[in-house]
């Protein structure tokens, strides 16, 4: 059976030593956030995920979800009880506003907790994660009445939420959507259409399901600027707030799919269902983006989470499995063979996953803190800078952390040899589960286009320039001998990123296909540079701690950082070369030649 | 439903135009191998795989194999009939010696046919592929009686074969194996032990199953030099050659696994089963290597095959699926959206798979021809050079074609967006099926160690030097303007490979961990260079054809080749950088820190 131990210590090191969360204590909700409090919250989360959620991960995959003839859906055994513990523990709303029953803690804490949960049981925790996205949308765009009607129930975990965008003929290109909304005399709308790939669309975990549905009001303009967001609850709330009449929205089927079997991926049929306008007419896509950005970060975190749990299992296996002898001579001559962790090629895979995990976790926490600043700071300039950071880093975190998270899971599976292919070991499930993170909430190609086509040039490149300035400033201030092995490779990577940016400015404005052809490589080049910067900051903090005494975890940090710099960061050169080769060889072939 | 069309034209271009198979007509079996004959054979193979095998691929995955209480195993619906057609078509023995009922055609032809078959239905064709490996071992190591008893039946396809190496506690490290053999008065042996992960170990396709089993004779030395190979048939052959008494070998269970569900992966229990010595006592591993090298090439071909079929489906989907508009303006303004093949990032994925497929196919055919020379040439020098080539390229083909084949399948799945994750589309099956190719017949890490630890230095580096000479000679002779876009990047890649080789000579002899740490990167650096060389040879041949008139396929070749050179080959620099960073950051961490 797979194992999982929440990396509480690593998160504490990042929050306290690297990013010094105490410096943010002027922000609302941060004043009481002491290291002790964070430690207590993360410790409780660790208990829940290790003892309750993780043990259901394999069985949930095997059993999957079942749709019954009446359209109801049963989740795997144990999911209901585990979700109940989650809800009762107040985890849904740890960062939600106190006025609606939340605990008002920093989003950063939620982000850390959500990594633990996704690692322990991704399929199960997708139910609450989608709810958190829906809560965020209602907080931002809902009317006072909508907030009062939905938020307390959702934050309590008694009602869950979903996000309904995709239709059979439209995924990325939401302008094509056909689900229609017809205004009624009482101000509500009748929603009719079919939505597909709806995660957590129907299930038995909550009393009510609050669907946020993108539809087109009769007579609205064609395309994306004619779409509107609606709240379509499974049960229409009564005046007293309890779930009332059953709405005309049903689960038509659940998809057979590669992984996340414990989460019901539904075809949802809206058959004149009652919907309530949220936000403005024909501005649905803007409202949807509130959920989507939140969701994109959460999906990036899922990529990291699956890499972490896969790594932990591979490391444990590599220390136990006896096979072959160390190249430098037997390490355990009394045993029939050495554990495979003595073999450099096994360590190559473990170290690559580990260096990615720790660097990616830093990138997530750094960015989550900016998210809190964006939403809570009283200082407008600080809010703007933080929003710039979020805009720039969101597609990078979604795209890079899921591509690399999947690659890590594949490497961790490889450590197991033939056993990695066998279901009961659980490694192949991590690979299958991780695969979806590269696809949903906007494929990684879409993330790359968002970065290159929109985020780079926005506001005259202000966000990018701020990122360059920060990294360059760090390199300048940390040129001492101890830091050289870290900042020197970072400088090279940053140079590649700047050259790639320059190339785009010179070649993509006149020929946009050069931007499209460069996008994925640029996103990865950016991600590697950003994670490289994270490793420099971690190395600095680790050196500071080591100056006060020995600390094996900090020594390990420095070694892992050197691995990242020597073995993973050099990939930036290949990305730059690919970008500079341009679009020609990609676009020249006529479509019929494929 | 997924589609597949065997790439007959591409194989013909490689056999006739690039490698000019007619130049080998002095070899036995090659005299009659005209382009017409090859075309006819490949055309028949295409019919069989497209009409019979491919339609069973999805259903075979869904249904899987079933083990019954008596230990018998039922394969998915339709597999029996399809296998029968395969056997009746004489495909098992197209390259086997005529004296045992084979057709004596070049192994190269079998290799091409096997790509088609694996692409159409990998799980189904593993049954005959393992048989072909067993046939090769019996041809090389069997006694005259054994050959007479087994080969005709196996070549006819009435009996199938397996390869029994792995035990629960030993996979890579076969020296640990415990299955024991006790000599009987009649010269036979009683075999007792448990073998796991035995592909095609039990099934309902053939009248008899011929297990080749590695075991340890009582009193044999410990370790790999105390292992012996045995023939253990499911039914002991009668004097008249028919299957006789049931032997004490049974399938204890079949594994639940990630993919290749249509192939029974068995736990095989040997309970004093009668075995016949094949080859010499305690030299089992040498005999096993005959099968293993054959199998390793075949597995590399599976990697290519799955990449090809995944690519074909992704290309078809990209031409149909309407979503978004071209960056340069609508290409089909009358349609609601453009087909996604207009998007550079979609083409990036398609072109990467395509450039890999065509380059890998060339590498396979080039190497298969050397295999024929090794086995058939009357010229000892030619045989030796060919054997050198095979030794050097076998691990590269196994490791690189499966790593990259899996990566291609993942990219092809990505082209589908959300639909790629849904089982009925078939794309996720290609990914699951491709995953095993990186693991079985020696994990890719083992291939890399075989290349770096054994093959490079063998005979004073003779094989490697010959490879360098050939590539360098080609670059020198093809420096004209038309070839420059191909040979210039190849020269850079070759330089990186030579620098990496030099680094190993200087750093790995005194510190073998540097070899282990470099192995996987070196293997991929080698593979990229070799495929780059293949692209140069294809470009040269395509240019020659284009000189005689327009030819769209040849124009497409030249574009695809430029894509490989500009977009894929630059990765060699990153591999070199990683190799040169050495083993330190990989080996420094104490095992307990993982």
């Amino acid at each position: 059976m797979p194992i999982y131990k929440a990396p509480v210590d690593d998160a504490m090191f990042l929050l306290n030593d690297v990013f010094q969360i105490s410096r943010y204590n002027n922000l609302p909700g941060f004043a009481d956030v002491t290291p002790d409090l964070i430690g207590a919250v993360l410790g409780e989360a660790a208990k829940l995920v290790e003892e309750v959620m993780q043990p259901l991960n394999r069985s949930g995959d095997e059993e999957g979800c079942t749709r019954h003839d009446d359209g109801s859906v049963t989740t795997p055994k144990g999911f209901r009880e585990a979700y109940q513990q989650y809800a009762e523990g107040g985890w849904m709303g740890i960062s939600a506003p106190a006025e609606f029953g939340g605990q008002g803690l920093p989003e950063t804490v939620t982000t850390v907790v959500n990594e633990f949960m996704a690692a322990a049981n991704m399929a199960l925790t997708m139910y609450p994660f989608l709810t958190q996205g829906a809560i965020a949308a209602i907080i931002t765009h809902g009317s006072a009445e909508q907030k009062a009607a939905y938020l307390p129930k959702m934050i309590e975990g008694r009602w869950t939420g979903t996000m309904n965008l995709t239709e059979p003929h439209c995924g990325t290109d939401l302008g094509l959507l056909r689900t229609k909304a017809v205004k009624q005399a009482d101000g509500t709308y009748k929603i009719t259409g079919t939505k597909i790939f709806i995660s957590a669309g129907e299930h038995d975990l909550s009393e009510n399901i609050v669907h946020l549905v993108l539809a087109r009001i009769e007579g609205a303009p064609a395309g994306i600027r004619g779409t509107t967001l609606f709240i379509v609850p499974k049960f229409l709330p009564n005046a007293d707030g309890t779930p009332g009449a059953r709405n005309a929205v049903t689960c038509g089927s659940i998809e057979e799919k590669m992984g996340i079997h414990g989460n019901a991926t539904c075809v949802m049929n809206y058959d004149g269902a009652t919907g309530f306008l949220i936000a403005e007419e024909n501005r649905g896509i803007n409202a949807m983006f509130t959920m989507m950005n939140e969701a994109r970060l959460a999906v990036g975190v899922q990529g990291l989470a699956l890499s972490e749990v896969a790594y932990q299992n591979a490391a444990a296996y590599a220390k136990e499995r006896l096979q072959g002898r160390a190249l430098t001579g037997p390490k355990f001559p009394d045993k029939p063979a050495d554990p495979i962790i003595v073999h450099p090629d096994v360590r190559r895979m473990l170290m690559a996953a580990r260096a990615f995990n720790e660097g990616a976790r830093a990138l997530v926490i750094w960015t989550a803190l900016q998210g809190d600043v964006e939403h809570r700071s009283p200082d407008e300039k600080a809010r703007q800078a933080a929003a710039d950071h979020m805009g720039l880093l969101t597609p990078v975190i979604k795209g890079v952390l899921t591509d690399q998270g999947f690659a890590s899971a594949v490497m961790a599976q490889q450590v197991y040899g033939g056993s990695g292919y066998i279901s009961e070991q659980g490694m192949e499930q991590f690979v299958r589960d991780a695969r979806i993170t590269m696809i949903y909430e906007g494929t990684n190609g879409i993330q790359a286009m968002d970065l290159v086509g929109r985020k780079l040039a926005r506001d005259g490149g202000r966000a990018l320039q701020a990122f360059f300035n920060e990294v360059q400033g760090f390199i300048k201030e940390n040129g001492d001998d101890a830091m050289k092995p870290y900042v020197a490779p970072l400088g090279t990577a940053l140079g590649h990123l700047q050259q790639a940016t320059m190339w785009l400015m010179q070649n993509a404005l006149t020929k946009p296909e050069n931007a499209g052809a460069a996008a994925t490589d640029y996103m990865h080049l950016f991600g590697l540079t950003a994670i490289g910067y994270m490793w420099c900051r971690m190395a600095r903090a680790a050196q500071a701690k080591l100056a006060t005494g020995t600390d094996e975890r900090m020594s390990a940090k420095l070694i892992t950082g050197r691995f990242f710099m020597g073995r993973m960061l050099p990939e930036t050169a290949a990305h730059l070369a690919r970008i500079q080769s341009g679009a020609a060889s990609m676009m020249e072939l006529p479509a019929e030649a494929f």
Side-chain angles (χ1 to χ4, degrees), chain A:
Chain A
M1 280 296 284
I3 54 159
Y4 176 64
K5 197 173 162 345
V8 173
D9 288 348
D10 200 44
M12 293 293 281
F13 166 68
L14 291 167
L15 289 167
N16 296 319
D17 298 296
V18 179
F19 300 114
Q20 299 166 14
I21 192 169
S22 58
R23 288 189 309 156
Y24 296 85
N25 63 9
N26 64 320
L27 298 183
F30 277 66
D32 308 326
V33 180
T34 60
D36 281 355
L37 177 78
I38 299 179
V41 171
L42 298 188
E44 280 304 306
K47 253 172 72 176
L48 178 68
V49 305
E50 292 168 10
E51 293 171 14
V52 178
M53 293 180 161
Q54 195 271 339
L56 299 171
N57 193 45
R58 278 293 308 125
S59 56
D61 179 67
E62 271 170 11
E63 187 183 340
C65 295
T66 312
R67 178 185 173 279
H68 307 284
D69 289 343
D70 64 357
S72 66
V73 170
T74 308
T75 55
K77 248 190 270 333
F79 274 35
R80 268 182 74 91
E81 294 72 21
Y83 175 76
Q84 217 150 2
Q85 287 197 46
Y86 171 93
E88 282 164 9
W91 296 105
M92 188 77 86
I94 47 174
S95 302
E99 59 174 310
F100 301 114
Q103 299 180 44
L105 287 171
E107 266 302 329
T108 305
V109 176
T110 298
T111 304
V112 172
V113 167
N114 284 358
E115 183 206 321
F116 300 171
M117 294 191 172
N121 195 324
M122 176 164 150
L124 168 58
T125 51
M126 280 173 66
Y127 297 97
F129 289 2
L130 281 154
T131 307
Q132 290 178 333
I135 289 170
I138 296 175
I139 287 176
T140 313
H141 302 285
S143 65
E145 292 73 28
Q146 288 171 339
K147 289 181 190 181
Y150 294 99
L151 292 177
K153 295 283 197 307
M154 294 172 81
I155 286 167
E156 220 183 326
R158 294 173 64 178
W159 296 6
T160 55
T162 74
M163 183 156 140
N164 286 239
L165 287 75
T166 306
E167 299 181 8
H169 59 285
C170 85
T172 295
D173 190 354
L174 288 168
L176 300 174
L177 75 81
R178 294 183 194 146
T179 295
K180 73 170 186 222
V182 180
K183 195 162 187 174
Q184 305 299 301
D186 63 357
T188 66
Y189 292 77
K190 290 283 176 218
I191 312 289
T192 305
T194 300
K195 295 287 183 179
I196 63 169
F197 302 160
I198 307 308
S199 297
E202 181 59 68
H203 56 80
D204 55 1
L205 303 185
S206 60
E207 298 168 12
N208 200 359
I209 302 176
V210 182
H211 303 290
L212 294 193
V213 182
L214 206 58
R216 191 182 300 284
I217 297 175
E218 259 190 329
I224 195 66
R225 292 184 200 295
T227 59
T228 303
L229 191 62
F230 295 91
I231 298 180
V232 186
K234 177 177 168 186
F235 295 101
L236 295 164
N238 291 323
D240 67 355
T242 55
R246 184 71 167 85
N247 207 348
V249 46
T250 50
C251 167
S253 64
I254 55 181
E255 306 279 4
E256 295 283 336
K257 58 195 192 293
M258 187 180 194
I260 48 168
H261 292 150
N263 198 277
T265 304
C266 301
V267 174
M268 298 303 295
N269 296 322
Y270 291 85
D271 201 12
T274 300
F276 306 98
L277 183 71
I278 177 169
E280 293 169 59
E281 281 188 15
N282 300 335
R283 298 293 299 271
I285 194 67
N286 302 55
M288 215 42 150
F289 263 114
T290 308
M291 284 172 85
M292 223 150 31
N293 278 330
E294 183 121 343
R296 285 175 175 182
L297 280 176
V299 171
V301 171
Q302 288 176 335
L304 158 61
L306 288 166
S307 175
E308 173 68 31
V309 66
Y311 161 79
Q312 288 188 15
N313 283 279
Y317 186 81
K319 287 186 269 188
E320 278 169 27
R321 173 76 171 170
L322 305 179
Q323 208 78 178
R325 289 295 185 188
L327 291 166
T328 48
K331 290 265 189 287
F332 295 86
D334 49 321
K335 293 191 179 177
D338 288 336
I340 61 173
I341 201 162
V342 304
H343 303 306
D345 196 65
V346 169
R347 281 182 173 246
R348 174 186 63 79
M349 296 186 277
L350 292 175
M351 287 297 292
R354 178 189 178 100
F356 162 71
N357 294 346
E358 297 181 11
R361 186 171 297 118
L363 189 63
V364 163
I365 290 180
W366 182 46
T367 300
L369 278 167
Q370 296 301 312
D372 276 316
V373 172
E374 180 191 357
H375 294 122
R376 303 187 185 199
S377 177
D379 175 358
E380 198 191 318
K381 268 203 152 159
R383 284 204 309 272
Q384 187 190 71
D388 283 355
H389 177 109
M390 294 295 287
L392 191 64
L393 268 295
T394 295
V396 174
I397 287 178
K398 188 330 185 151
V400 175
L401 268 55
T402 61
D403 275 358
Q404 197 53 46
F406 175 74
S408 281
V410 170
M411 277 191 289
Q413 180 188 23
Q414 190 73 13
V415 170
Y416 276 68
S419 297
Y421 203 67
I422 305 301
S423 303
E424 71 176 328
Q425 297 284 350
M427 300 305 287
E428 59 95 32
Q429 183 189 348
F430 298 138
V431 172
R432 289 186 288 101
D433 286 356
R435 185 65 185 88
I436 190 60
T437 64
M438 298 155 71
I439 298 173
Y440 63 14
E441 302 307 335
T443 63
N444 287 357
I446 292 299
Q447 306 302 323
M449 283 304 292
D450 178 42
L451 175 66
V452 168
R454 301 222 305 250
K455 300 297 176 59
L456 287 190
R458 185 181 276 183
D459 301 311
R462 190 177 64 204
L464 184 67
Q465 201 49 58
F467 176 82
F468 286 164
N469 288 345
E470 173 164 350
V471 177
Q472 259 160 344
F474 184 93
I475 293 173
K476 227 177 257 168
E477 285 161 26
N478 293 277
D480 52 293
D481 280 357
M483 281 299 288
K484 231 177 230 151
Y486 304 93
V487 295
L490 177 61
T492 305
L494 183 67
H496 292 157
L497 183 60
Q498 288 172 325
Q499 283 177 66
T501 309
M502 192 67 79
W503 188 92
L504 282 175
M505 285 167 62
Q506 289 165 348
N507 295 280
L509 292 174
T510 50
K511 205 161 172 278
E513 286 177 342
N514 277 326
T520 289
D521 281 292
Y522 188 91
M523 177 178 77
H524 280 282
L525 172 48
F526 197 113
L528 281 166
T529 307
I531 295 176
Y533 172 51
M534 293 296 99
W535 268 112
C536 287
R537 294 202 45 182
M538 289 192 282
R540 179 87 287 177
Q543 286 170 356
K545 289 194 88 153
L546 281 166
T548 68
T550 58
D551 181 332
E552 281 169 15
R553 279 203 324 112
M554 292 302 111
S555 303
K557 272 278 175 226
L558 292 178
I559 294 166
T560 308
R562 284 214 313 283
F563 180 92
F564 184 86
M565 294 296 164
R567 288 261 163 189
M568 299 175 79
L569 203 52
E571 188 67 27
T572 56
H575 288 303
L576 176 61
R578 281 195 280 269
I579 291 166
Q580 290 176 335
S581 89
S585 67
M586 209 176 277
M587 302 310 293
E588 212 172 323
L589 218 54
E592 57 277 14
F594 281 86

